[in-house]
Amino acid sequence: MLQNLDIPDSGTLIISNRLPVKIERKKSKLKFTPSEGGLATGLGSFYKENGSWWIGWPGIIPKNEQEEELIRQELKKLNLIPVFLTEKEIKGYYEGFSNAILWPLCHYRPSYVELKPEFWTSYVEVNKKFAAAALPFIQEHTRVWVHDYQLMLVPHNIRELKESCSIGYFHHIPFPPIELFKMLPWRDELLEGLLGADLIGFHTYENVDNFLDSCSGVLNLQNNINSLKINGRKILVDVFPMGIDYEKYKDQALDTETKDYSKHIKELYHNQKIILSVDRLDYSKGILQRLTAFEILLNDHPELHGQILLYMLIVPSRDQVNQYKKLRNEIDRKVGNINAVYGKPGWQPIAYFYNSLPFHALSALYVAADVCWVTSLYDGMNLVAKEYIASKQESSGVLVISEFAGASKELSDALVINPYAVHRTSRTLYDAISMEEEEKEDRMHSSQAIVSKFTVHHWVNLFMQRLEEIKNEQRHELARKVREKVETDIKSSYNASNKRLILLDYDGTLVGFNKNADKAVPTTEVYEALDNLSKDPRNLVTIISGRKYSNLESWFGNRPYYLIAEHGIWSNYPNHDWHLVPGLSNSWKTEVNQILQRFTDRTPGSSIEEKSHSLAWHYRKVERAFGLRQAQELLQELRHLNQVLDLQIINGDRVIEIKNKLVNKGKAAINLANEIDPDFILCIGDDATDEDMFIALPDSSITIKVGDKQSHAKYYVENNKEVLQLLASLGK
Ligand SMILES: Nc1ncnc2c1ncn2[C@@H]1O[C@H](COP(=O)(O)OP(=O)(O)O[C@H]2O[C@H](CO)[C@@H](O)[C@H](O)[C@H]2O)[C@@H](O)[C@H]1O
Ligand SMILES: O=P(O)(O)OC[C@H](O)CO
């Protein structure tokens, strides 16, 4: 058994379902070959260079312990650590949950999903098995990189036991829209599993969006510029389009052996334009649609008979999963049919191969092909497209790629198709075959500029850089968090002072939010904490809120502390009589109210609150995503109007408030501070409006934000419970 690997700082512990090497038993001998599949081909060529190690399944069930040990030792030489799966685990975890639930769901095939609870049980167990296999090699400083949908629970499994290590996760396939993801009975667990990571990456922006939508819709997590907060830990979600090892494909294409083999292929199919497709056998690759489009081309262009060839290379994949078995039969039938109908002596329109090719042979095919044709119905990235481009060093060619492959977003000089539109696709294929040399070269050169820059090395570096950045941010955040040390410092300056101003926001700071604002009433703990503080004559406790003064008066009117309402418009300092800041106009209200009314009529669940000198549009009860969208539109309209009215528009927590610019919490707080001239100021708030106080108060003030958002406050606490704990501890 391996123990305590010495992974250098430059290295990473990679964990994926499949190792980049697969082992097969051929005539009772073990054969080690490179795995197919995007992740293995992408990272497999260079992970060892920086001292990384890779944990995964070698694709074989050892006959006995002796064989298992032999495999371990052989793999160890390649920096690989095997996780062996039993037949039952392969059925339940790999073929079942991974490839009969997650794969079809992520590729928009809900009807292929087999929601069997036993698949989930196996998935949970095997994810634990992978995490357990990794744990002995993980120190607190180790960088762990988990890959793909088969291991979505592993980040959480590792995080539970290794709190501070860096964990990245990359999802190589699409992430479905929330409507599909929500179908899964285990949706919460899967998301929570991923959120054990510090950085979560996807190939495209669309996937990032879908994932964040699910986090918000399923777990009710709000994101802030692609970052999420879990148990006080900040997590980043970002786009990292994967590249290929460009130099490797380029060099292989220029190799003499490759060129000779490519020439041989050309001679074999002399006078025929070779249209190449290369994929794993998978319904997501649009193989049937491709065959239909090719048939249409043959039908519409009899003059091309004998002049073109579809060279279709398919690598066997997941052949024990129902939908894959069916697909294989359908492809066999369709290819046979097209060849039978259109073929003639000396020419078959389709050359179909169902096997895996060694690298040099694949490279020769790329070199020989006049067109590379990618028809994915949905594909995370599609590396074949990029491999083809890298291989076109001395020969020309055209890439025809589906708009549903992630790679199409980068390769704008390729011919982009909708593979479902089979007639149009066949016409695009015709254009590709007949394209002028000059245009081919132009398009290929621009594509090469992109593929050679955004390589797999670039991808790894970028991902690791972002992982380090987020870890640094987490460390920084930790220092800002009010914990034992910070609390002791606050207490000692509190104890050393004689005139203390304590400014407290109300909603989100002293009490939690409630969908019904009237129900967010003060709790016994709130009264206790504030009463306790007020007992000390050196303290001036002040609640400073956006609420109407009537609200504050009804809850706290009989208390010794002071109240400031409507962001500073009303105050009962110094004699507990309410008074208004003079000179404020309300003439703007009618016009703004009309706009708010229009949005309220269009947005079920939203409401308008009229205060004496402000208007607030609440959307806490509106379906989250819809509410946010409506709020964006409303903000835009209000800002436009505000060019004339010159009001303050506050984008708060599920509320947009419009008020006179002359008053804000910052001005109210500093005015009060100037009047009483305290030697200690504590100010706590959670909202955008509280930022005005954090900015306006003197630097010596202790400012605390509730919830760790971007803030001008010096410190933060997680929630209102922590606020009350802190206040209670000061009162002691
Ligand atoms: N017959 C054959 N012989 C030898 N090699 C063969 C072969 N057929 C295919 N391959 C190789 O297998 C790889 C396939 O990678 P793809 O990106 O095209 O799809 P895949 O679905 O496996 O990858 C998943 O991961 C990748 C990487 O993230 C995403 O691009 C993709 O969308 C996602 O589904 C290529 O490197 C290709 O060269
Ligand atoms: O053959 P599989 O099932 O390991 O799939 C390989 C693909 O790269 C999955 O992303």
Side-chain angles (χ1 to χ4, degrees):
M1 263 308 265
L2 289 168
Q3 287 289 335
N4 296 329
L5 290 181
D6 194 14
I7 301 178
D9 283 352
S10 58
T12 305
L13 185 66
I14 300 168
I15 311 174
S16 71
N17 169 60
R18 208 180 264 286
L19 285 175
V21 167
K22 69 176 179 204
I23 308 173
E24 289 160 300
R25 198 175 286 110
K26 290 257 162 90
K27 292 183 188 153
S28 79
K29 279 204 162 155
L30 296 178
K31 194 176 158 215
F32 291 65
T33 46
S35 305
E36 301 83 18
L39 166 62
T41 55
L43 255 185
S45 58
F46 78 99
Y47 69 95
K48 283 193 300 276
E49 284 171 15
N50 54 7
S52 294
W53 282 75
W54 194 323
I55 295 185
W57 176 48
I60 190 170
I61 302 178
K63 268 194 306 206
N64 49 38
E65 279 181 19
Q66 212 182 350
E67 190 177 72
E68 183 176 318
E69 189 48 31
L70 178 85
I71 292 173
R72 276 188 200 287
Q73 291 311 324
E74 283 306 307
L75 291 177
K76 187 182 164 189
K77 294 178 195 160
L78 302 168
N79 284 27
L80 301 176
I81 302 161
V83 174
F84 293 105
L85 299 180
T86 64
E87 215 154 305
K88 195 169 163 224
E89 288 169 338
I90 295 172
K91 287 239 151 317
Y93 145 81
Y94 173 71
E95 290 165 4
F97 200 83
S98 300
N99 290 316
I101 295 184
L102 288 177
W103 182 276
L105 196 84
C106 289
H107 289 87
Y108 277 69
R109 291 295 170 116
S111 61
Y112 288 6
V113 171
E114 299 173 33
L115 287 180
K116 295 187 183 164
E118 62 271 26
F119 288 171
W120 169 247
T121 311
S122 179
Y123 187 79
V124 173
E125 280 166 11
V126 176
N127 269 248
K128 281 192 188 143
K129 187 170 178 172
F130 272 83
L135 275 174
F137 312 119
I138 303 176
Q139 319 281 330
E140 287 297 336
H141 69 268
T142 307
R143 219 163 41 184
V144 181
W145 196 3
V146 183
H147 287 268
D148 230 357
Y149 65 102
Q150 300 94 342
L151 302 178
M152 288 169 78
L153 307 179
V154 169
H156 174 76
N157 294 341
I158 295 177
R159 175 71 58 207
E160 272 188 320
L161 298 162
K162 300 279 176 182
E163 206 191 332
S164 60
C165 74
S166 307
I167 306 177
Y169 170 87
F170 191 82
H171 199 76
H172 289 261
I173 64 173
F175 196 91
I178 182 167
E179 290 74 19
L180 286 185
F181 187 72
K182 266 179 146 175
M183 268 178 65
L184 288 175
W186 313 281
R187 59 200 193 182
D188 293 43
E189 290 89 333
L190 287 166
L191 291 177
E192 280 158 6
L194 288 186
L195 295 172
D198 301 299
L199 174 62
I200 301 173
F202 297 90
H203 286 301
T204 66
Y205 176 72
E206 188 181 57
N207 291 315
V208 167
D209 247 15
N210 285 348
F211 174 72
L212 290 173
D213 270 0
S214 283
C215 287
S216 139
V218 174
L219 297 182
N220 206 15
L221 292 175
Q222 218 175 337
N223 83 78
N224 176 19
I225 324 177
N226 289 9
S227 74
L228 296 162
K229 200 74 192 289
I230 305 293
N231 303 328
R233 191 171 46 89
K234 189 170 178 183
I235 294 170
L236 199 66
V237 183
D238 214 342
V239 185
F240 301 90
M242 186 175 175
I244 58 159
D245 189 340
Y246 186 84
E247 291 302 315
K248 184 177 135 186
Y249 281 87
K250 178 180 164 188
D251 292 349
Q252 186 65 44
L254 294 171
D255 181 80
T256 324
E257 201 190 337
T258 308
K259 286 193 206 168
D260 289 349
Y261 190 39
S262 156
K263 215 164 125 205
H264 168 72
I265 298 170
K266 280 279 194 202
E267 281 163 8
L268 201 62
Y269 303 107
H270 65 279
N271 294 336
Q272 293 173 38
K273 296 239 170 168
I274 300 175
I275 303 161
L276 174 70
S277 70
V278 180
D279 349 61
R280 282 181 310 98
L281 185 131
D282 202 300
Y283 46 83
S284 66
K285 306 290 180 185
I287 300 169
L288 294 175
Q289 284 75 2
R290 182 188 305 155
L291 289 170
T292 305
F294 189 63
E295 192 175 6
I296 293 169
L297 183 75
L298 293 174
N299 193 46
D300 291 354
H301 293 278
E303 78 280 8
L304 292 178
H305 294 191
Q307 313 283 309
I308 56 171
L309 171 85
L310 174 57
Y311 193 112
M312 201 163 81
L313 176 63
I314 292 189
V315 65
S317 179
R318 307 168 194 169
D319 45 17
Q320 294 310 309
V321 180
N322 287 336
Q323 293 299 340
Y324 290 74
K325 282 187 214 165
K326 274 197 207 162
L327 178 66
R328 185 173 173 202
N329 291 338
E330 275 192 75
I331 294 171
D332 286 356
R333 197 186 50 74
K334 203 155 182 176
V335 169
N337 190 46
I338 294 174
N339 276 344
V341 172
Y342 295 95
K344 55 186 184 184
W347 178 68
Q348 293 267 286
I350 304 176
Y352 169 30
F353 301 91
Y354 185 61
N355 55 26
S356 173
L357 284 189
F359 183 46
H360 75 273
L362 184 62
S363 172
L365 268 176
Y366 286 143
V367 173
D370 297 281
V371 173
C372 177
W373 192 13
V374 176
T375 50
S376 314
L377 302 180
Y378 214 14
D379 212 337
M381 173 52 67
N382 195 287
L383 298 180
V384 167
K386 296 187 172 182
E387 292 165 7
Y388 177 68
I389 284 167
S391 307
K392 291 316 233 178
Q393 296 298 326
E394 289 181 345
S395 57
S396 64
V398 182
L399 174 67
V400 178
I401 186 169
S402 159
E403 63 183 280
F404 303 113
S408 72
K409 316 253 186 285
E410 290 169 82
L411 302 172
S412 52
D413 281 297
L415 298 187
V416 179
I417 51 156
N418 168 0
Y420 294 96
V422 284
H423 285 273
R424 229 175 300 151
T425 296
S426 87
R427 288 198 293 275
T428 306
L429 198 58
Y430 183 84
D431 292 344
I433 299 165
S434 14
M435 193 181 281
E436 295 291 333
E437 268 319 301
E438 201 182 332
E439 183 177 352
K440 281 191 211 172
E441 273 175 28
D442 283 353
R443 286 175 181 266
M444 191 51 78
H445 284 152
S446 332
S447 302
Q448 282 173 339
I450 293 166
V451 180
S452 61
K453 177 170 178 201
F454 296 95
T455 63
V456 69
H457 296 88
H458 183 87
W459 178 71
V460 172
N461 291 340
L462 205 66
F463 192 91
M464 290 306 159
Q465 203 180 311
R466 293 293 269 155
L467 185 57
E468 199 176 319
E469 276 167 25
I470 185 69
K471 284 316 272 185
N472 285 339
E473 264 186 60
Q474 286 175 2
R475 279 179 213 117
H476 177 72
E477 289 301 311
L478 217 57
R480 272 187 65 226
K481 184 160 162 48
V482 176
R483 301 211 292 189
E484 227 170 289
K485 158 91 177 67
V486 176
E487 196 174 313
T488 313
D489 291 349
I490 295 175
K491 269 194 214 164
S492 65
S493 52
Y494 176 87
N495 290 334
S497 53
N498 287 310
K499 207 176 196 186
R500 309 176 189 124
L501 174 60
I502 301 173
L503 291 160
L504 304 166
D505 165 53
Y506 180 73
D507 290 285
T509 299
L510 292 175
V511 296
F513 287 106
N514 193 305
K515 278 199 170 162
N516 184 343
D518 292 336
K519 288 197 174 147
V521 295
T523 57
T524 323
E525 290 82 18
V526 171
Y527 286 127
E528 269 173 16
L530 301 187
D531 289 347
N532 224 4
L533 285 172
S534 297
K535 269 190 222 148
D536 188 330
R538 289 170 293 182
N539 291 345
L540 182 76
V541 178
T542 305
I543 295 178
I544 180 160
S545 163
R547 289 265 186 174
K548 290 180 190 175
Y549 78 82
S550 52
N551 277 141
L552 297 189
E553 177 66 21
S554 69
W555 294 329
F556 305 111
N558 57 353
R559 305 305 243 232
Y561 19 102
Y562 287 103
L563 307 170
I564 297 177
E566 287 192 37
H567 307 287
I569 289 174
W570 293 91
S571 162
N572 73 357
Y573 177 85
N575 52 9
H576 292 278
D577 285 338
W578 285 103
H579 58 89
L580 181 69
V581 170
L584 299 177
S585 152
N586 266 342
S587 58
W588 53 272
K589 266 190 172 176
T590 320
E591 205 170 352
V592 171
N593 199 31
Q594 276 168 359
I595 297 178
L596 299 189
Q597 200 58 57
R598 208 158 22 85
F599 274 79
T600 310
D601 292 345
R602 285 168 44 190
T603 316
S606 65
S607 60
I608 301 171
E609 183 187 9
E610 176 157 13
K611 304 182 194 177
S612 68
H613 286 74
S614 65
L615 286 171
W617 187 72
H618 293 273
Y619 59 98
R620 188 166 300 283
K621 288 186 187 166
V622 181
E623 191 265 306
R624 189 174 198 120
F626 180 52
L628 287 171
R629 216 191 56 194
Q630 297 294 83
Q632 284 311 315
E633 201 184 325
L634 173 59
L635 277 175
Q636 209 176 356
E637 206 163 314
L638 289 172
R639 281 177 187 142
H640 188 66
L641 176 74
N642 206 29
Q643 290 170 359
V644 186
L645 296 182
D646 203 24
L647 299 163
Q648 187 183 11
I649 301 167
I650 304 165
N651 187 10
D653 193 327
R654 312 265 213 123
V655 58
I656 292 174
E657 187 148 5
I658 305 98
K659 63 179 221 4
N660 203 295
K661 217 177 180 178
L662 297 175
V663 185
N664 66 40
K665 282 186 177 181
K667 287 182 183 163
I670 194 68
N671 286 344
L672 189 58
N674 287 342
E675 270 187 58
I676 66 167
D677 193 22
D679 57 358
F680 173 93
I681 300 178
L682 171 65
C683 173
I684 314 183
D686 75 302
D687 207 344
T689 57
D690 301 313
E691 292 296 318
D692 289 334
M693 295 197 278
F694 302 149
I695 295 168
L697 289 168
D699 281 351
S700 56
S701 313
I702 294 166
T703 49
I704 302 179
K705 179 92 170 177
V706 184
D708 159 38
K709 305 157 197 157
Q710 288 289 345
S711 174
H712 291 93
K714 275 190 198 140
Y715 305 108
Y716 80 94
V717 292
E718 290 296 338
N719 48 40
N720 61 305
K721 280 197 189 106
E722 291 190 8
V723 174
L724 294 179
Q725 275 163 14
L726 177 70
L727 295 179
S729 79
L730 292 178
K732 272 181 197 157

